[in-house]
Amino acid sequence: MTLTLEGKASERGMRMAMVCRCGCAAAYRSARSREITIFTGANRIRSEMPPAADVRRCHRRRRGAPACAMIPIVTSGVGARTPSPATSAALPPELADLVGDVAELALVDLDRLVARMDAAVIELVPAFGADAGSVASLSASNRANIARPLTVWARRETGPVPIEVPLEALDGARTVARRGIDFSAIFQGYRRGQNIALEHYLDCAIRVVPSGPLQQELLRALSRRTYEWVDHVVAQVLAVAQHEREAVLGSALARRAETIRLILDGSPIVADRASEMLGYDLARRHTALVLWFPPTDEVHGALESAATVLARASGARPPLTLSAGPSVLWAWMGTDADPARDELRAVSDLIHPDIRVAVGPTRPGIAGFRSTHAAALAIQGLLSGRPGGAQPAFYDDLEVTALAAQDPERSAEFVRTTLGRLAADTPDAARLRETLRVFLDEAENAPRTAARLHTHRNTILKRVARATELLDRPPGARRLATELALELVHQIGPQLLTRT
């Protein structure tokens, strides 16, 4: 069996692997012996060097499914996971200056470029858009993989340029591994993102240098540097993803994660056996939590602590938890009755202020375990782009809003047509919208509205009158639509509004 690897494959102590792209099986060979260890799920089978065909067979093949492709990587020893820093080739001074010009121009449209990459990768690999946590992890990785090289190129260095893998990209790899996503998704996502980024770079280059030999040199330099960057990052990201998968294979964490995923996927499973494996009684009533914070924050261990605080407040045992990425935690609280909302809100001060919490409805049994989690994910998707603190957001309060917001484009159109001039993205319009929202929520009672907004009753009446003018109709004429539009803006934010 021959493996083609970067670095010195003959280096003593190096371990090499043919890694299944789906992460289900891996075969390791040490350079010091012909012994191979094949990992399949929780089983470790040690044997002498088998034929290459045996090593390349994914365990799914034995269940009748097509075999997966195998990927060679270095897993430990020299060159594994902590390789010597890679560099891009040196450039002549004139070309380095032009590459710097392109980098600065490309950074101007960074937000738009990242949004295009996110959408394209999710279209190709829907698993990356399965929930708000996955989307946030993908977007943070894409942003870092664009901003890091462009920032380095903008320095206009003529010597070899270091290629440093962003931490966000490595976190994204760990998310892929923890969620059981096929490792081929990493290849596909990076190549799709690379194509979009390179297209943007080349468009910028055409704006920087007119057509001619110099432009051709610039285009070649940009293409070469982009491919060098992506090739190196993908190699290291795959190694980290495989390392993360190895860390949980055969462990209690892996068994728990696999059991939870089987339940969430609706697979047939014996409740008593699953409860025993999880150490969590599936026969009780379940309330799902999704806890998350911005990927750029450093809140190590705070998600687990927050879940424990909320479980204690609800009278539940320690919650069942599953890490869904570096900045997302899934949790379930098992109780005999519905947790009291006031008690959950009362302990929010004990939770890190940057953590957001979505609370699903309380439901019984395995079906309820699934449905409450899906509901909590829907609330996370609704609130993930909004700043806020640790005050829990309850599905029962936001169910209608979450349903109405499933199609962002139609939601924005609905808000603009329903609110008219009141949908303007200005501070004055925002104040009027909030006043009218609370006024309608309080059954048009001005004194109660004034008390909630800490202002005078006459001020409330003036604002409502002005909001009515901008609506061009009394709020009661289309009360349901008006209340829904105001709630959508309140929960989702200015992206639904009319820009001025």
Side-chain angles (χ1 to χ4, degrees), residues 355-397:
I355 292 177
R356 305 299 309 272
V357 183
V359 184
T362 304
R363 298 288 185 266
I366 285 185
F369 185 94
R370 282 193 296 270
S371 63
T372 183
H373 176 67
L377 285 178
I379 298 306
Q380 184 203 15
L382 179 70
L383 303 180
S384 59
R386 297 278 290 162
Q391 191 67 239
F394 295 90
Y395 179 78
D396 290 342
D397 294 338

Side-chain angles (χ1 to χ4, degrees), residues 39-89:
F39 289 77
T40 304
N43 302 317
R44 289 171 169 80
I45 307 169
R46 191 173 295 274
S47 66
E48 289 300 306
M49 186 69 172
D54 290 340
V55 175
R56 292 173 180 270
R57 183 175 296 120
C58 166
H59 81 287
R60 291 181 177 178
R61 181 72 168 268
R62 295 197 295 272
R63 296 201 299 260
C68 295
M70 304 295 284
I71 307 165
I73 66 168
V74 179
T75 60
S76 66
V78 179
R81 301 188 190 106
T82 54
S84 57
T87 58
S88 293

Side-chain angles (χ1 to χ4, degrees), residues 135-385:
V135 174
S137 178
L138 170 68
S139 188
S141 176
N142 282 339
R143 179 174 294 274
N145 275 318
I146 293 297
R148 180 70 62 83
L150 289 180
T151 302
V152 173
W153 299 349
R155 299 172 189 162
R156 296 171 171 79
E157 297 175 3
T158 58
V161 176
I163 301 177
E164 300 175 353
V165 182
L167 294 178
E168 294 86 348
L170 300 181
D171 284 341
R174 296 184 182 100
T175 299
V176 169
R178 292 170 186 171
R179 296 198 174 204
I181 299 173
D182 189 323
F183 283 1
S184 65
I186 294 177
F187 282 102
Q188 297 169 2
Y190 267 87
R191 292 309 176 192
R192 176 61 66 89
Q194 170 188 286
N195 292 340
I196 291 175
L198 185 56
E199 178 185 340
H200 181 63
Y201 300 163
L202 299 184
D203 287 342
C204 292
I206 293 172
R207 294 162 59 185
V208 168
V209 178
S211 179
L214 185 57
Q215 185 190 85
Q216 295 301 315
E217 286 188 45
L218 177 58
L219 297 180
R220 281 194 293 270
L222 288 168
S223 298
R224 184 169 60 251
R225 283 205 161 178
T226 301
Y227 276 95
E228 289 171 344
W229 174 273
V230 173
D231 288 346
H232 178 73
V233 170
V234 166
Q236 302 313 312
V237 160
L238 275 172
V240 168
Q242 181 59 28
H243 177 59
E244 188 73 16
R245 188 70 55 86
E246 291 170 25
V248 298
L249 277 175
S251 68
L253 176 60
R255 291 192 295 273
R256 179 174 61 181
E258 181 64 18
T259 302
I260 290 174
R261 294 191 187 284
L262 287 172
I263 295 172
L264 296 181
D265 291 343
S267 301
I269 191 167
V270 179
D272 290 344
R273 174 59 178 157
S275 296
E276 181 182 344
M277 295 179 66
L278 295 174
Y280 176 89
D281 188 359
L282 290 168
R284 305 185 78 186
R285 298 174 65 81
H286 313 290
T287 305
L289 307 174
V290 176
L291 306 97
W292 75 99
F293 57 82
T296 54
D297 281 7
E298 296 290 337
V299 195
H300 300 297
L303 294 176
E304 289 81 0
S305 298
T308 301
V309 166
L310 292 168
R312 187 180 298 119
S314 67
R317 297 176 59 189
L320 173 66
T321 61
L322 178 65
S323 174
S327 59
V328 181
L329 182 74
W330 296 346
W332 289 263
M333 302 186 299
T335 56
D336 294 323
D338 292 8
R341 296 190 187 188
D342 290 343
E343 293 179 359
L344 294 180
R345 291 192 177 102
V347 297
S348 61
D349 290 343
L350 304 177
I351 298 174
H352 192 287
D354 290 338
I355 292 177
R356 305 299 309 272
V357 183
V359 184
T362 304
R363 298 288 185 266
I366 285 185
F369 185 94
R370 282 193 296 270
S371 63
T372 183
H373 176 67
L377 285 178
I379 298 306
Q380 184 203 15
L382 179 70
L383 303 180
S384 59

